[in-house]
Amino acid sequence: MKARVFSGMQPTGNLHIGNYLGALRNWVKLQHDYECIFCIVDLHAITVYQPPAELREKIRQVAGLYLAAGIDPKITALTVQSSVPQHAELGWLLTCVTPLGWLERMTQFKAKAEAAETIGDGLLQYPVLMAADVLLYNAAVVPVGDDQRQHMELTRDIAERFNSLYGETFVVPQTSLPMVGARVMGLDDPTKKMSKSTAGSGHAIGLLDKPEEARKKIMRATTDSNPAVDFETMGPGVQNLLGIFQAFTDWSQDEMHRHFTGMRYGDLKKQVAEAVLAGLAPIQQRYAELMQDPGYLESILQEGRDRVTPTAAGIVKTVKERMGLYTIAP
Ligand code: TRP
């Protein structure tokens, strides 16, 4: 039997090439070696207020982009978190075995709490719900970026604590696979990871950006004061552009050196833009085709929900029994 993989993405902001190269593209490859569940985590999104109509539209958009990028619904379950009520249910059950101190220590919570005037309880509980997402399916492997590592450690701690209190119940998941994906930085500020939520028109290249828009952003990207590409002394902006090119073309390090050494930045950027546009074109084309038939997307999300529900329901049933909750015959 194949090991199970679970991962999720929030339906907020606009998916960009960093999400594609760092996560989505790896997920597409994982599908063949693992039994995968990829989830649109809308319950996580609402830990911060989202305009309802916009959120609903984003969920469809992210689902469409997953499919357009190559997630194959015949072998992989594509789900919307809130459509499987057991996520929220297990979230509560796990909340009750999680010490408050563990949650208050989370660096992402601390950063968000500092930035906001008032913070919802959901922001504190966020990592418990994430633990529930993973443990609900006894996922063995959870591919996530570095920023989610602490949450995954917490997931393991919660699973171990539950197992020691109530008996072996959960598989303690591996943090992630070694990430082969590129870490894409902001075009305007190459010291910061490309982010869905960073405002500013020159920061990220959206997967649905028009070719001209994407090209313009690349041509304006921050470089450094060298006159041309020098692999020894280049700054983070040039390194980022080369990284993006390499990720889209799969060129070797040797080829990169031979081709780009001494190239002026204007030419470098033109070539990066060509590589990005060539990579995005088939995704955008499939996306446009998919979205012409709203019923198709809906049916994929129904199938995903129906496929994972028996597993989720089975685990919640076991957890409730172990915890001593009363079971009334259906
Ligand atoms: N918190 C993750 C992020 O913002 C998204 C997420 C929610 C997730 N639940 C998950 C990722 C479970 C992996 C597994 O990136």
Side-chain angles (χ1 to χ4, degrees):
M1 212 177 74
K2 288 179 179 172
R4 195 174 282 150
V5 164
F6 183 97
S7 198
M9 225 183 256
Q10 291 195 46
T12 52
N14 289 318
L15 287 197
H16 52 65
I17 58 170
N19 300 124
Y20 176 67
L21 297 173
L24 212 42
R25 196 168 69 158
N26 290 323
W27 295 2
V28 171
K29 289 183 196 146
L30 290 175
Q31 299 181 102
H32 305 288
D33 299 324
Y34 295 89
E35 182 201 326
C36 293
I37 302 170
F38 295 125
C39 185
I40 299 166
V41 293
D42 54 349
L43 295 173
H44 279 102
I46 56 169
T47 53
V48 178
Y49 175 79
Q50 307 293 332
E54 223 170 272
L55 178 61
R56 204 167 292 126
E57 189 46 41
K58 284 282 172 208
I59 294 168
R60 286 173 41 76
Q61 192 184 83
V62 173
L65 280 170
Y66 278 16
L67 295 173
I71 298 296
D72 178 356
K74 285 202 269 313
I75 51 178
T76 291
L78 175 56
T79 64
V80 177
Q81 189 185 29
S82 65
S83 75
V84 182
Q86 285 82 4
H87 285 260
E89 193 173 8
L90 185 62
W92 172 256
L93 299 170
L94 295 180
T95 292
C96 297
V97 301
T98 306
L100 182 56
W102 289 6
L103 299 178
E104 288 170 335
R105 266 206 301 280
M106 293 293 111
T107 53
Q108 205 169 66
F109 169 70
K110 285 198 279 187
K112 285 183 186 171
E114 266 168 35
E117 250 171 56
T118 57
I119 43 161
D121 182 27
L123 224 41
L124 182 70
Q125 301 300 332
Y126 181 111
V128 183
L129 181 60
M130 181 163 162
D133 294 342
V134 171
L135 300 178
L136 195 51
Y137 304 105
N138 274 329
V141 183
V142 184
V144 288
D146 277 342
D147 58 334
Q148 296 298 318
R149 252 168 219 280
Q150 198 186 26
H151 290 161
M152 284 310 300
E153 269 160 41
L154 183 88
T155 298
R156 277 200 299 279
D157 289 344
I158 292 174
E160 276 165 9
R161 189 171 161 92
F162 188 97
N163 287 349
S164 77
L165 283 171
Y166 296 109
E168 283 302 313
T169 305
F170 294 119
V171 171
V172 180
Q174 238 173 281
T175 302
S176 66
L177 298 169
M179 271 301 213
V180 285
R183 187 175 153 87
V184 179
M185 312 303 282
L187 294 178
D188 56 344
D189 178 359
T191 62
K192 298 216 170 68
K193 189 173 160 187
M194 191 175 277
S195 147
K196 284 190 289 182
S197 49
T198 300
S201 59
H203 175 75
I205 296 181
L207 295 182
L208 295 175
D209 277 3
K210 297 212 165 54
E212 272 328 296
E213 220 178 317
R215 191 194 307 274
K216 242 187 238 153
K217 290 179 189 172
I218 293 168
M219 296 310 291
R220 280 201 315 258
T222 301
T223 51
D224 53 40
S225 56
N226 287 348
V229 177
D230 175 349
F231 280 85
E232 302 301 312
T233 63
M234 66 186 169
V238 174
Q239 197 176 341
N240 190 38
L241 289 170
L242 289 167
I244 292 169
F245 182 96
Q246 189 172 20
F248 273 110
T249 58
D250 284 325
W251 281 19
S252 70
Q253 209 49 28
D254 258 13
E255 285 172 293
M256 292 295 293
H257 273 257
R258 249 183 286 129
H259 185 76
F260 285 109
T261 297
M263 187 180 287
R264 303 213 149 254
Y265 291 159
D267 293 329
L268 164 68
K269 286 174 170 178
K270 275 187 207 148
Q271 300 204 1
V272 173
E274 288 317 311
V276 171
L277 296 188
L280 292 187
I283 297 176
Q284 295 189 349
Q285 196 190 334
R286 276 196 298 269
Y287 180 82
E289 285 165 13
L290 277 166
M291 296 316 252
Q292 273 172 7
D293 177 5
Y296 174 71
L297 196 61
E298 182 78 4
S299 72
I300 298 299
L301 296 176
Q302 282 168 344
E303 257 171 50
R305 175 197 63 197
D306 294 345
R307 189 169 336 161
V308 303
T309 293
T311 308
I315 293 195
V316 166
K317 181 166 181 283
T318 305
V319 169
K320 285 165 85 173
E321 280 167 7
R322 298 257 156 102
M323 292 180 95
L325 298 176
Y326 196 78
T327 319
I328 302 170

